[in-house]
Amino acid sequence: MTAPITVLGAGHAAVTLARELRKLDAETPLRIITADDGAYYYKPDLSKALAAGKDADGLIKQSPDQLREQLNAEVLTQTPVTRIAPDEHAVYAGDTRYDYSRLVLALGAEAIRPPFPGDAAARVHTANHRSDYAKFRAALQPGARVLIVGAGLIGCEFANDLAAAGYAVTVADIAGWPLPRLLPEVQGRALQAGLEQIGVQWKLENGVQSLNLSGDAIRAEFGDGSGAEFDTVLSAVGLRPHTALARDAGLECALGIVVDAHLQTSAPDIYAIGDCAQIGGRLLPYILPIAHAARALAPTLTGTATPAKLPAMPVIVKTPACPTLVSAPADVPGAWEVSGEAPDLEALYKDENGNPIGFALTGKATAKRAQYAAQMPPVFDPAA
């Protein structure tokens, strides 16, 4: 019997790929192995769950049994894979061996946890997975004072969701404005002002120096010498691709698991997709790249080699207080050109040769998304 196509992970990348695969081939054996409970949910919903009136369980879209039936797949839950053996075409969960014909790593990413000094570090939450979010929600009392560490995309989205739900939110970051890696300062300030209007307070250009218990509260000390007490702390400083399994197996890794145009790793019959994969020198930890990658990888896995081509894919930031979307430019020298009046701002990022390679829109300017996207080069083009 032919060993199954095996996918490690059961998140959005894994399920999207499995669905695309089943559109092309209903019968080839398919196995999904996950270390968690296997319940499928849409991760971007985490940062708008309060507005949607949903707790962690309410975010579940399909149970493992429903996935098994829909995908005609074996779904192994609570099964952490401990080793990949490329030469054997097998993976191991402890002493249990699972053979594969082709292996797809959809391992996702983990939340970075800064080493906060102080005795309250253990009470810092992250919310990159549904299980973590459940713990965070359980810690939230009505009207709680919440410190969010990190003014990036996830930090701003949670700040909007929490403040709109009546929580007292403060965002701290060493950066000078929100979304510093994605927006020019004037747009970052517009986003900051929009969130301030719904009650978000800011400690910008301020790192958290320590977190210590103060009765039932947590006292934060900031870089400017000030301090304040909070009921809950959420760390949103970024994500780190899961690469340990791949590295231990001898696969090439850099920022993530390095893949070629066909999403193949440095090992035969092993592929990677989603937050853990690095393609064209870039990490693309967003939903649209997963959709495009899955539509290319599914035919490759079924025998028709298909390179992935990734167009410009603007990311909608879930901050209704100041609508924002961005098509992040490549990390190359260049400059922003900004027009409009806050909060309705248009920004185009041009490289040193004057070529537009990224854009950002805020406020009413977000209506020009299609117009700007049409000017953008592909994020990844195997023919280039």
Side-chain angles (χ1 to χ4, degrees):
M1 181 177 177
T2 303
I5 295 173
T6 298
V7 181
L8 301 189
H12 184 69
V15 173
T16 300
L17 173 62
R19 288 171 177 165
E20 293 295 331
L21 183 65
R22 283 301 183 228
K23 291 177 184 177
L24 303 174
D25 183 335
E27 299 300 331
T28 293
L30 175 62
R31 174 185 289 146
I32 296 172
I33 305 176
T34 178
D36 60 26
D37 63 9
Y40 172 64
Y41 66 101
Y42 188 60
K43 187 175 288 188
D45 286 348
L46 291 173
S47 58
K48 61 176 185 178
L50 286 167
K54 294 183 178 181
D55 60 13
D57 287 342
L59 295 174
I60 295 172
K61 295 183 179 296
Q62 288 179 296
S63 69
D65 284 340
Q66 289 171 322
L67 289 175
R68 292 182 183 104
E69 181 177 357
Q70 180 195 58
L71 301 173
N72 184 26
E74 179 184 10
V75 179
L76 302 179
T77 64
Q78 308 293 351
T79 306
V81 169
T82 52
R83 182 165 68 92
I84 300 169
D87 292 344
E88 301 175 34
H89 267 60
V91 300
Y92 287 82
D95 294 329
T96 304
R97 171 178 170 145
Y98 298 98
D99 293 330
Y100 63 81
S101 58
R102 280 137 293 169
L103 177 67
V104 181
L105 307 180
L107 300 169
E110 63 182 336
I112 297 171
R113 290 180 173 269
F116 296 109
D119 60 8
R123 284 183 53 182
V124 176
H125 294 271
T126 60
N128 186 48
H129 296 285
R130 191 175 59 85
S131 57
D132 293 333
Y133 181 72
K135 296 174 184 177
F136 175 60
R137 279 292 293 267
L140 283 176
Q141 300 300 316
R145 301 162 295 176
V146 182
L147 172 64
I148 298 176
V149 184
L153 188 146
I154 299 301
C156 288
E157 290 186 346
F158 269 102
N160 198 132
D161 198 40
L162 288 161
Y167 295 94
V169 179
T170 298
V171 181
D173 200 301
I174 59 173
W177 63 87
L179 270 63
R181 296 182 181 179
L182 298 177
L183 299 178
E185 181 174 358
V186 64
Q187 285 183 312
R189 296 295 182 194
L191 176 58
Q192 177 183 346
L195 290 170
E196 284 175 347
Q197 289 179 2
I198 63 170
V200 176
Q201 298 184 45
W202 300 88
K203 295 290 290 186
L204 296 170
E205 299 184 51
N206 257 298
V208 175
Q209 301 300 301
S210 64
L211 295 172
N212 286 286
L213 298 175
S214 178
D216 292 333
I218 299 170
R219 181 168 181 80
E221 300 293 339
F222 299 103
D224 62 2
S226 65
E229 291 193 350
F230 301 92
D231 302 300
T232 305
V233 179
L234 176 67
S235 177
V237 299
L239 301 176
R240 180 185 296 115
H242 279 293
T243 60
L245 272 176
R247 289 182 189 276
D248 291 346
L251 276 59
E252 181 183 356
C253 296
L255 297 173
I257 303 169
V258 176
V259 298
D260 64 15
H262 293 91
L263 301 177
Q264 182 170 299
T265 69
S266 57
D269 295 325
I270 302 181
Y271 303 81
I273 190 172
D275 291 2
C276 68
Q278 177 181 333
I279 184 167
R282 298 179 68 178
L283 299 173
L284 298 170
Y286 305 113
I287 294 300
L288 283 178
I290 288 172
H292 286 277
R295 285 195 289 268
L297 183 52
T300 295
L301 294 175
T302 55
T304 303
T306 304
K309 183 175 181 178
L310 306 179
M313 296 167 285
V315 175
I316 298 174
V317 185
K318 297 185 291 296
T319 49
C322 179
T324 302
L325 67 84
V326 59
S327 181
D331 187 17
V332 297
W336 288 102
E337 295 180 359
V338 184
S339 61
E341 295 185 6
D344 308 321
L345 296 164
E346 307 169 30
L348 192 62
Y349 190 88
K350 294 183 177 181
D351 66 19
E352 291 180 318
N353 296 318
N355 300 310
I357 58 172
F359 70 92
L361 305 172
T362 54
K364 294 178 181 178
T366 54
K368 296 185 178 182
R369 170 183 177 178
Q371 172 185 329
Y372 275 86
Q375 302 178 51
M376 295 298 107
V379 172
F380 176 75
D381 186 350

